[in-house]
Every structure is written in C-alpha cells, then in structure tokens.
Amino acid sequence: MSVTIHQVAAEAGVSPSTVSNVLNGRSDRMLPQTRERVEEAIARLGYRPNGPARQLRTGRSQVLGLVVPSVANPFWGTFARHLEAAALRAGHRVLLCNSERDPARERDYLEELWADGIRGVVLCSSLPSLEHVLPLVEQGLTLVAFDRTAQAGDPPSLVNISVDNAVGAELATRHLLQLGHRRLAFVSGSLRSVNRRARFRGFEAALEGFGLTAEDTVVWSGAADHDYGDLDFPDLGRSAARELLATGRPPTAIVALNDMCALGIIAGARDAGLQVGTDLSVVGFDDIVLADLASPPLTTIRQPLPAMADAAFAHLHAGVGGTSGTGGARSGGGSLLLRPELVVRSSTGPAPRA
Amino acid sequence: MSVTIHQVAAEAGVSPSTVSNVLNGRSDRMLPQTRERVEEAIARLGYRPNGPARQLRTGRSQVLGLVVPSVANPFWGTFARHLEAAALRAGHRVLLCNSERDPARERDYLEELWADGIRGVVLCSSLPSLEHVLPLVEQGLTLVAFDRTAQAGDPPSLVNISVDNAVGAELATRHLLQLGHRRLAFVSGSLRSVNRRARFRGFEAALEGFGLTAEDTVVWSGAADHDYGDLDFPDLGRSAARELLATGRPPTAIVALNDMCALGIIAGARDAGLQVGTDLSVVGFDDIVLADLASPPLTTIRQPLPAMADAAFAHLHAGVGGTSGTGGARSGGGSLLLRPELVVRSSTGPAPRA
DNA sequence: CTGAAAGCGCTAACAC
DNA sequence: GTGTTAGCGCTTTCAG
C-alpha cells in the first residue's frame, strides 16, 4: 500500500541498508553522491518510514503518553498544548488519555501505553500514592508525575514536577490579609490529593503569620460523600458560596482551590446579590485563560505551564532529569518545584468595613 | 524486556499460534480446556500483546488521530474528551494534534499519522478546501472533517460532521429580534472558514425575515491583516466591543462567532461600563462549560458534542458512515448536519428603550 | 483441533 | 563505502 524502504533502495540503485543509513543520519561514512541519490529517491517517492516497523525493531517510540484528569478542563487543555508543542519540536507526538481522576483508569491507560511501546508518560495525578502504577515503572517506564510532589515510597526514578502549592496558597492568602480581611474561607473538594493538602497548609501558614486562629476561618470541603469530578469544580464553588454566605458570620474573602472553583464562587456570590471585589474577595489558582475574562477579572496564582511542560518533556526525552535550563526552578532529588506567582486583578479588594 | 507470545505459549504448553488464536477470538475451534490454559498463562504472566508488532503484521491500528485547532480552547478540549470516550469504549486510543489552524501543520500531522499506521483521523478544520490533505485520502486514509460542511471538490469518501451553523446563527439572531432589538452587530474574525460564513448567512437570513436592511446592522470582522488564533477569540471580542460601543450609534445586541468571543465582548462591555443583559445583549455559540458561569451567564447556541463525537468515531470505526442511530441528525451524502439548540440565559434581555 | 513457517518494514552488526 | 543477513513480536495460511 505504502512505499517501502526497498522501493526507495531500488529507485536509488542502492541497498535498503544504505537508505536506512541516510534515514538515521549515518551519512558521514558514505559518498555524498550516494546520499543525494537516496534523498532524491525519497523525495520523488514521497517515502516516509513506517513507524510501527521501526519501533518494533528499535524498541523506541516517537510517541509519548499524557494522562490528565480531563482535557475538558481548560487548565489541562492548556498544559496538553504546551506539552505537545515541546514534543513536536523534537519530532514526537502525544497520545492523550483522560483519567477522570480514576486510579484504575490511570493504571489501565499506562498499561495500554506500555503495550503500545510507549516508554515515556506524563501522569497528571495528584493521588498521594502511585503504587497502582509502580509495576510499570519497575519494568522501565519513564514516568513524570505532574502536579504532585515527592512522597515517601515513591520509586527512586520518579520525577515530580509541580508548582509549590503551599507557597502559592500562602501568597494568595497573604494578599487577602494585607487587604485587611480577617474572616477567610478556604474552599476545596475533599483534601485527598497532595496538592490540595499543600494548598491548605499554605493557607494555614499565612493565617498563623498574622496571628489568626481557626476561629476566624472556615474550611469548606463539600459534602464528604460526594466526589466532585474535574468538571464539577464550578458547581463545588457555587455550592460553597451559597452555604458560606448564608451563615451568620460569612467570610469576607475566599481562597479557592483553583480557578474553575473560583468562577463558581463568583457565580454563587452573584446569585446572592454580592459584588465580588468589594463585598467579597475571591482568589483562584492556576490562571487559566478565562481568569482574565471573568467578571470581575480573577485575582489568582499563576502556574508557569510552558516551563513545566518543557521540563516534563525534557526529562522524558533525555531519560534523565534536565534540571538545568529551567529558569527559576528549584530542584530536589530529581523533582522540580516551580515558584508560582500572584496575579492581582479585580476579584479582590479591601475588606469591607465591619 | 516484556513478556512475549512465545513465553505465554511455553507457559501454557501450546504453540504461539494457539495463543494468537485465543487472543483474536478464534476460540470456537479449540478445546475449552486449551483456551483456559492459555488464558491462565496470560493472566499469570501479565501478558499484553505488543501493539507495534501486531500492527506491523495486520496493518490495523488501535489508535486514531484527532487534529484540532487548539485543545487550550475549552470547546476543543471538551470535544476531545468525548471522542476519546467513544474510542475507549471500543478499545481505541486517540493521538492528539494541535494544528493552530495552520494548513501546513494539518498536512504534516496527517502525514505523520499515516506513517505511524493510523488510518482514521478526525480533522477539525473549517478551511473551505481540503486539497492539502487529498493525497492521503486517496491513499486510503479515512477522514472525518468536523465543524465543516461538504464543499464542491471534496473527495467522495469524505464525511463531514457539523452543526447547522446557519440555523444556529439564525436562532440566535431571531431570539434577539424577538426581544425587540433592531440594531444588531455580528462579530467574527475573518470570514474565511466555512462555518463562519454559514453563521453569517444565518444572521442575515434572520434579519431579512424581520425586514431589516444592512443599514441597521454592523459587521465587525477585526483588523483584516491580523490573524486571530484560537486563543485570541476573547481579545477579538474585547476589541470588537470597544470599537462598536464607541460609535455614534452602537448596537444594542451582538451575535458573537463563538462563546470565547462572546466572553470577550462581555468583558469589553463591562470595561465600557455597560450592563450586559440590560444595556447590551450578547449571544454566543457552542455552549462551552464556562458559558453558564460567566457574569451574566451566557445565552448561546449549543452544539450537541457528545452525539457528534460518537458519530465521528462510529464512522471511523466502521469505515462506513453510520448515519442511523444518531437521533435528530439530518444526513446528506455521507455527511451529518446536526441541529443546534438555543440556550437562553441572562446575557440577553429586552432591547433598551430608545 | 493444533503446530510449523513465512513475512509485515525496518535496523544494525558484520561481511565484503 | 555498501550490501547481506538475521531477526524485533505477531498473525495467518496451510499441513498434519
């Protein structure tokens, strides 16, 4: 059906191995004219080497796997695009998998990717334990865990790439405190994932720095039995806003788990007739594309996604952690912890006078 | 490195071909006990057939390609997730490619996918001409064009799947007219793509239905020389709002090319101190996840993405257009034109009194 | 009902 | 410098 290396060889009057040699850059030990003849033949026939055959032979794949909770979430969509861009520059492609945050699906996907000959995967999972995936790593899968920090019991070869969530949340909270807010809420779903816990720690740290106690704060983590999926963050925020604002002593500022959740909170506050930015301040996390477009534009913590995607790909590509060259990165034990940045817009403002 | 079919055969005390037979469902002509022994061996060894080898032999791939403008756009991210879900149900995977609406990248990607043995691709391109991709289709690539309708010169095997853009825009425009608006604007980037043109036709059709002339309408299609990418829709909307609202006789209602653009318009209107829903009405297109979350929630035209994704996969999977079973679909010449739906929220309201 | 053998398209020693 | 050769892991006739 397609043109093969033999046809190219015949066209150029050489043997298949010579064609293979030019294909693989071993043209130094070859007459220039031979190389040219081969290249012309390739161009004339529109030949492209057969990927599967090549892969079967070499064991190497030009495809890498990306497992995200859901690309319908703009944050993951944006990350996917950056990763793909990095891969493309090196002639690689990206196979996309949505896990819906289900560990079983994560494992199934990694196994399928492995069976497909894919040896490098970026797993965006913030599950504390990666044991469901350990066998593959031991078998030789190069794994980059994204949006997750190193945990005890991780395989030694694992590289984690994440923003410093505690610092981010602390930045967000301190911003609110400096604006004079003293009654704060932290809105999150369940605190099972490592990054949510880290963000909560940052929230607490900032409060302590201002001498505030638990009395002054509210934590809202949703109905314990309801497991919010990635697309339910807005609903979560909306419910949180509804409940929090109906209490006798509502918070004047809210730190949201992420931007999607923050947008839900804003919607909920609007439902309640509050003006976000004056009556109520809200900070998000991620700085998704639409944060800037919200009404009011969302104050948030920006994750340096392009740098993170580059680092993830570099590690997969090299097989060894490329710690260097990632400006501003702090590295520890093969893992990368990048510093997030506060972006002030208008969803936050001075605390209303009591 | 990995366990092969030979090891399974040895473990089960049979030959490789017998293992292959059970793998491929040819177990009817086989002693049940033999099959069991093989299945046990497979389970015991954790064997998974090697994809590339299988593919090299059969020519079939379990992977299909998806080329979208940019998954950072939530509309495409959502579509990608639906397509992946449909593929997953049939044991297929999806290779994701961002074209950034660049025809050269579309072609390059399709060629790479073909070389990788991928024989079915969903191309989300609304370019009027698909000639840059024709050679591959002639070679045997099964192509589904998404968000595009049939054009003269299309290869006969091509299947187009799209919402009826003209009907959608007409629905949107009529809604505005029924609310009493008489001075309308249509905001779009350049009108090169077929779906933008169709939407514009729908806009015009609705106006004609109400006896309005070009005098009463404004069309804003951006700086002619500036090519807006997929992530620039919000900027486009914002610029449009700024310019349109600064004119002497500004429109009271705007039909936006899509939701991202509409969100930009809303932001621009807010910048100008207008209240969207009362001072100015805005309708979007697509019904992305965040439409419901905007302030005010966006009135828009919903595309039935799950049905569209299912149809796209079904066609790729069958190799033949599965016209039936896609409820509410109108089919024509192997292409599918689905009916969009108006979703009224609060970004539209009665025309302000003159 | 099961096994032996050939070969998909390519690469990488190793001869020549 | 270039060609020959032997598979990578799997499927699939065709014998037995």
Side-chain angles (χ1 to χ4, degrees):
Chain A
M1 196 114 161
S2 260
V3 28
T4 76
I5 201 172
H6 288 95
Q7 303 177 38
V8 177
E11 176 85 13
V14 297
S15 81
S17 44
T18 300
V19 179
S20 171
N21 282 334
V22 346
L23 245 41
N24 293 284
R26 277 184 290 273
S27 48
D28 42 334
R29 305 179 172 181
M30 192 184 298
L31 288 181
Q33 39 169 318
T34 309
R35 211 195 64 175
E36 273 174 27
R37 274 218 317 283
V38 171
E39 283 172 344
E40 279 166 18
I42 289 178
R44 201 157 42 232
L45 269 48
Y47 168 72
R48 307 206 64 155
N50 176 309
R54 178 178 252 182
Q55 187 180 337
L56 178 58
R57 186 62 239 248
T58 62
R60 283 186 295 275
S61 168
Q62 299 285 88
V63 176
L64 57 89
L66 170 62
V67 182
V68 295
S70 169
V71 271
N73 178 334
F75 177 71
W76 296 118
T78 302
F79 178 66
R81 197 179 66 97
H82 286 302
L83 187 71
E84 195 234 29
L88 188 61
R89 275 176 238 129
H92 289 238
R93 282 164 290 297
V94 174
L95 196 65
L96 177 74
C97 311
N98 295 296
S99 70
E100 311 293 340
R101 294 193 190 273
D102 175 351
R105 270 181 74 154
E106 288 180 358
R107 181 179 35 76
D108 289 351
Y109 260 134
L110 289 205
E111 281 177 1
E112 273 165 19
L113 293 173
W114 176 266
D116 277 355
I118 290 172
R119 295 296 172 260
V121 174
V122 178
L123 176 62
C124 301
S125 163
S126 38
L127 296 170
S129 163
L130 251 37
E131 62 182 340
H132 56 300
V133 138
L134 254 173
L136 285 173
V137 176
E138 280 160 3
Q139 228 172 119
L141 181 71
T142 302
L143 191 65
V144 171
F146 187 89
D147 197 27
R148 177 181 186 281
T149 48
Q151 303 293 309
D154 283 356
S157 69
L158 181 71
V159 164
N160 290 280
I161 296 183
S162 172
V163 101
D164 192 325
N165 286 296
V167 164
E170 199 172 340
L171 240 37
T173 312
R174 205 139 53 188
H175 167 64
L176 259 14
L177 290 166
Q178 280 161 358
L179 285 168
H181 294 275
R182 286 298 175 272
R183 178 132 183 99
L184 310 189
F186 181 81
V187 168
S188 142
S190 78
L191 288 170
R192 278 175 314 164
S193 77
V194 320
N195 64 4
R196 294 184 198 182
R197 276 207 285 262
R199 288 178 194 181
F200 183 58
R201 273 204 311 280
F203 175 72
E204 290 185 309
L207 293 175
E208 279 168 26
F210 272 68
L212 296 190
T213 69
E215 294 262 300
D216 305 296
T217 68
V218 203
V219 175
W220 194 95
S221 29
D225 56 340
H226 187 328
D227 200 19
Y228 287 92
D230 241 66
L231 283 178
D232 304 325
F233 287 132
D235 291 340
L236 185 147
R238 210 162 196 158
S239 308
R242 206 178 351 251
E243 289 188 23
L244 288 172
L245 298 173
T247 57
R249 199 167 146 236
T252 65
I254 302 182
V255 177
L257 174 68
N258 59 31
D259 285 353
M260 296 284 274
C261 177
L263 293 176
I265 293 174
I266 291 179
R270 185 192 55 232
D271 295 345
L274 290 187
Q275 182 100 15
V276 172
T278 53
D279 305 330
L280 177 73
S281 288
V282 178
V283 192
F285 206 114
D286 290 346
D287 197 23
I288 60 175
V289 200
L290 295 149
D292 183 39
L293 265 139
S295 298
L298 191 63
T299 294
T300 190
I301 302 296
R302 175 179 298 160
Q303 300 209 37
L305 276 189
M308 296 171 92
D310 286 352
F313 176 72
H315 176 70
L316 254 34
H317 193 223
V320 183
T323 294
S324 59
T326 315
R330 188 149 64 86
S331 116
S335 288
L336 230 50
L337 200 61
L338 287 95
R339 198 180 162 74
E341 182 191 352
L342 173 70
V343 179
V344 177
R345 289 195 271 249
S346 18
S347 68
T348 50
R353 305 189 56 89
Chain B
M1 196 113 164
S2 261
V3 28
T4 75
I5 202 171
H6 289 94
Q7 302 177 39
V8 176
E11 177 84 11
V14 296
S15 82
S17 40
T18 300
V19 178
S20 171
N21 282 334
V22 349
L23 245 41
N24 294 285
R26 276 183 291 272
S27 47
D28 43 333
R29 306 181 173 183
M30 191 184 302
L31 288 180
Q33 40 169 321
T34 308
R35 211 194 66 176
E36 273 175 28
R37 275 218 316 285
V38 171
E39 282 173 344
E40 278 165 20
I42 289 178
R44 202 156 41 232
L45 269 47
Y47 167 73
R48 307 206 64 152
N50 177 309
R54 178 176 255 186
Q55 188 180 338
L56 178 57
R57 187 62 240 251
T58 63
R60 283 185 295 276
S61 169
Q62 299 285 86
V63 175
L64 56 90
L66 170 63
V67 182
V68 295
S70 168
V71 270
N73 178 335
F75 177 71
W76 296 119
T78 301
F79 178 66
R81 197 178 67 95
H82 286 302
L83 186 70
E84 196 235 27
L88 187 61
R89 274 177 240 129
H92 289 236
R93 281 164 290 299
V94 174
L95 196 65
L96 176 75
C97 310
N98 295 294
S99 70
E100 311 295 340
R101 294 191 190 275
D102 175 351
R105 271 181 72 157
E106 288 180 358
R107 181 178 36 78
D108 289 353
Y109 261 133
L110 290 205
E111 280 177 2
E112 273 166 17
L113 293 174
W114 176 264
D116 277 355
I118 291 172
R119 296 295 172 261
V121 174
V122 178
L123 176 62
C124 301
S125 164
S126 37
L127 296 170
S129 163
L130 253 36
E131 62 181 337
H132 55 301
V133 139
L134 253 173
L136 285 173
V137 176
E138 279 161 5
Q139 229 171 120
L141 182 70
T142 302
L143 191 65
V144 171
F146 186 88
D147 197 27
R148 177 182 185 281
T149 47
Q151 303 293 307
D154 283 355
S157 70
L158 180 71
V159 164
N160 290 280
I161 295 184
S162 172
V163 101
D164 192 325
N165 286 296
V167 164
E170 199 170 341
L171 241 36
T173 311
R174 205 139 50 185
H175 167 63
L176 258 15
L177 291 165
Q178 279 161 357
L179 285 168
H181 294 275
R182 285 297 175 273
R183 179 131 181 98
L184 309 188
F186 181 82
V187 168
S188 141
S190 77
L191 288 171
R192 276 175 315 164
S193 77
V194 318
N195 63 3
R196 295 185 197 181
R197 275 206 286 260
R199 290 179 194 180
F200 183 58
R201 271 203 314 278
F203 175 73
E204 289 184 310
L207 293 175
E208 279 169 24
F210 273 68
L212 296 190
T213 69
E215 293 261 299
D216 305 296
T217 68
V218 204
V219 175
W220 193 94
S221 30
D225 55 341
H226 187 328
D227 200 20
Y228 287 91
D230 239 67
L231 284 178
D232 305 325
F233 286 132
D235 291 341
L236 184 146
R238 210 164 196 156
S239 308
R242 208 178 349 252
E243 289 187 24
L244 288 173
L245 299 173
T247 56
R249 196 165 150 241
T252 64
I254 302 182
V255 177
L257 175 67
N258 59 30
D259 286 352
M260 296 285 275
C261 177
L263 294 177
I265 293 173
I266 291 179
R270 185 190 56 231
D271 295 345
L274 289 188
Q275 184 100 16
V276 172
T278 52
D279 302 331
L280 177 72
S281 288
V282 177
V283 192
F285 206 114
D286 289 346
D287 196 24
I288 60 175
V289 199
L290 295 148
D292 182 39
L293 265 138
S295 296
L298 191 64
T299 294
T300 188
I301 301 296
R302 175 179 298 159
Q303 300 209 35
L305 276 190
M308 295 170 92
D310 286 351
F313 176 72
H315 177 71
L316 253 34
H317 194 223
V320 182
T323 294
S324 60
T326 315
R330 189 149 64 86
S331 117
S335 289
L336 230 50
L337 199 61
L338 287 94
R339 197 180 161 75
E341 182 190 352
L342 174 69
V343 179
V344 178
R345 289 196 272 249
S346 18
S347 67
T348 49
R353 305 188 58 89

